[in-house]
Amino acid sequence: MNMRAKPCSVGDNVLRERGQREVFCGLTGIVWLHRKIQDAFFLVVGSRTCAHLIQSAAGVMIFAEPRFATAIMEERDLAGLVDANDELDRIVAQLLARRPDIKLLFLVGSCPSEVIKLDLSRAALRLSQRFSPAVRVLNYSGSGIETTFTQGEDACLASLVPVLPEAGPNSPPSLLIVGALADVVEDQFRRLFAALGISSVSFLPPRRSSELPAVGSNTHYLLAQPFLSETARALEQRGCTRIAAPFPLGSEGTTAWLRAAAAQFAVGEAHFNAVTAPLRERADRAVGRYRAQLSGKRIFLFPDSQIEIPLARFLARELGMDLVEIGTPYLHREHLADELALLPPDVSVSEGQDVERQLDRCRQAAPDLVVCGLGLANPLEAEGFATKWSIELIFTPIQGYEQAGDLAELFARPLVRRARLVA
């Protein structure tokens, strides 16, 4: 499929929505981040509601010992009757005594801790000094105030950037892949980059805090997720340079993503094609199994995860779906420029959310499939719509050639289920 980007005015014709929102908070990011960084622990400073949210989203059994917990703020904390910092210090000391495997501790802010103005950055500095060098303590905000749930990962990775080792000005050029990827996907990309001849490749976040990559003016980074604007800004402040590319969703997107890195590291086109062609062909066949089911089907994407634009490109160009509307919570025009250029020029894009107005447009359009958050999915199913949970597209490995068919199947499955219910 031809990946040459044509001039497109999508970015100039965006409907900006401001109104009632329907999204999870950034604490949800802990569900996949705690699995990724194997010696890290995420301590949420929040309420029982925060604890229930993460426990429910993670599906953790009662006898499991995950790498996250909640320091629950009681009424006395919120009323200022006790010193919240003393309580936090006590809980952290208790936690680290019980779990000596923890090498990196994140203090994660929430709506309650931010409401009472608990300064977790100062707490992290104080605790890091106390428990150094055995444990490093960092902090970030997972508050749901004016954010969407994938911004939790962005805030977490941005908090890591200042503590990344410094790569000297004479260090060789290196490639940094930014964004939490399933281990199986990371391993696939490592093999691909090695086959292309790009040897100095690291990933943020790493699997262990002892493997934090060194960065500097000779570091080029490639975003694996489109919602990492704060992390990208922090990396550029460290001297890193972004490689512009579409995102690695589907055969087409993965090829363009890899080609952008190959061009930066002077990999010849013939060698690039020799390495990627067999994988492209296999991915195209895997996606092709679902094209007949999805081609011509109309899809409406509500704003939720910030990966809606790359998903829409994949659905339109590789599966032939008709895009009714692409909603996204935030539209970073620079990071998404390559994706926007590949969308149909007349596509409807909305930024932000006014959920009632968007629901009205969705009902009027009567699409075959709706991509939305959990809060909207069940009511829309009750109205007769087939839905796909957008959060599932974050939890599931979908990047790369080997996952292209799985990604297509995720959209075919709700239509199959709906057909069976109607029959």
Side-chain angles (χ1 to χ4, degrees):
M1 196 170 285
N2 182 14
M3 280 294 291
R4 183 176 297 171
K6 296 181 289 186
C8 179
S9 58
V10 169
D12 299 324
N13 296 297
V14 176
L15 175 62
R16 291 167 180 81
E17 297 276 45
R18 297 293 181 270
Q20 182 180 347
R21 300 160 63 249
E22 186 79 35
V23 294
F24 276 140
C25 72
L27 296 178
T28 318
I30 293 170
V31 175
W32 62 88
L33 288 167
H34 89 102
R35 297 172 185 164
K36 184 64 185 178
I37 314 175
Q38 297 168 9
D39 59 354
F41 195 95
F42 295 79
L43 182 62
V44 178
V45 184
S47 66
R48 294 185 186 277
T49 302
C50 304
H52 290 315
L53 167 67
I54 304 170
Q55 197 79 0
S56 306
V60 176
M61 293 177 289
I62 194 167
F63 53 81
E65 193 166 30
R67 289 188 290 271
F68 63 84
T70 305
I72 294 176
M73 304 183 73
E74 304 284 3
E75 287 81 357
R76 293 193 311 152
D77 301 303
L78 297 172
L81 299 179
V82 294
D83 189 317
N85 283 290
D86 288 346
E87 287 291 294
L88 181 59
D89 288 8
R90 180 183 63 79
I91 290 171
V92 168
Q94 187 179 42
L95 169 66
L96 295 179
R98 179 183 173 186
R99 298 286 296 270
D101 56 307
I102 298 171
K103 304 302 178 188
L104 176 61
L105 175 62
F106 290 100
L107 302 180
V108 187
S110 64
C111 300
S113 62
E114 292 190 0
V115 165
I116 69 166
K117 303 294 189 289
L118 182 59
D119 192 341
L120 290 183
S121 62
R122 297 182 71 176
L125 180 61
R126 178 180 70 248
L127 290 165
S128 206
Q129 291 172 342
R130 176 179 173 183
F131 293 103
S132 178
V135 182
R136 170 176 278 152
V137 185
L138 301 175
N139 81 286
Y140 71 91
S141 173
S143 168
I145 301 173
E146 294 301 317
T147 61
T148 193
F149 74 96
T150 49
Q151 287 178 269
E153 178 180 333
D154 189 19
C156 176
L157 299 192
S159 75
L160 279 171
V161 173
V163 301
L164 298 180
E166 180 70 32
N170 298 321
S171 59
S174 63
L175 176 63
L176 178 65
I177 307 302
V178 183
L181 296 169
D183 288 351
V184 64
V185 177
E186 180 181 317
D187 290 341
Q188 290 166 10
F189 283 145
R190 282 187 185 277
R191 290 193 295 269
L192 261 172
F193 287 122
L196 289 170
I198 306 173
S199 57
S200 183
V201 180
S202 52
F203 289 75
L204 184 69
R207 297 185 190 184
R208 302 192 67 81
S209 62
S210 59
E211 300 167 356
L212 289 174
V215 298
S217 57
N218 290 325
T219 303
H220 291 82
Y221 72 92
L222 196 56
L223 292 176
Q225 302 284 14
F227 45 74
L228 300 174
S229 58
E230 291 303 315
T231 305
R233 184 178 296 110
L235 285 168
E236 287 166 13
Q237 288 172 349
R238 293 287 306 269
C240 306
T241 304
R242 184 178 69 91
I243 300 173
F247 291 87
L249 299 184
S251 173
E252 186 179 44
T254 301
T255 302
W257 189 76
L258 291 168
R259 179 174 274 119
Q264 180 62 51
F265 286 82
V267 177
E269 186 68 13
H271 181 58
F272 178 84
N273 288 330
V275 170
T276 60
L279 298 169
R280 293 203 309 264
E281 291 170 8
R282 189 158 68 235
D284 288 339
R285 286 197 301 272
V287 171
R289 287 198 290 269
Y290 302 97
R291 194 170 293 117
Q293 288 175 267
L294 295 172
S295 181
K297 293 292 191 294
R298 304 171 69 249
I299 186 167
F300 190 110
L301 295 96
F302 276 84
D304 196 59
S305 65
Q306 295 190 75
I307 69 167
E308 291 86 3
I309 300 292
L311 278 176
R313 181 264 304 157
F314 166 73
L315 295 170
R317 292 175 62 87
E318 296 196 46
L319 289 166
M321 297 191 76
D322 292 337
L323 306 173
V324 176
E325 180 172 321
I326 313 167
T328 187
Y330 305 99
L331 183 60
H332 196 299
R333 284 163 176 76
E334 182 182 355
H335 290 176
L336 290 166
D338 292 88
E339 294 283 3
L340 291 169
L342 293 166
L343 291 176
D346 57 346
V347 70
S348 176
V349 177
S350 63
E351 179 185 15
Q353 188 158 40
D354 188 326
V355 68
E356 295 299 335
R357 292 176 60 187
Q358 288 165 339
L359 282 169
D360 288 343
R361 294 199 299 272
C362 179
R363 292 180 179 119
Q364 184 177 6
D368 298 292
L369 183 61
V370 179
V371 180
C372 60
L374 288 168
L376 296 178
N378 285 347
L380 287 171
E381 287 278 348
E383 293 181 27
F385 291 96
T387 65
K388 164 54 57 183
W389 297 349
S390 55
I391 198 168
E392 187 180 0
L393 299 163
I394 300 296
F395 288 174
T396 306
I398 59 173
Q399 294 84 8
Y401 289 124
E402 300 296 330
Q403 286 66 237
D406 298 336
L407 178 56
E409 185 185 12
L410 287 174
F411 292 91
R413 210 179 290 160
L415 296 177
V416 171
R417 183 181 67 242
R418 174 61 54 180
R420 288 175 179 170
L421 289 172
V422 172

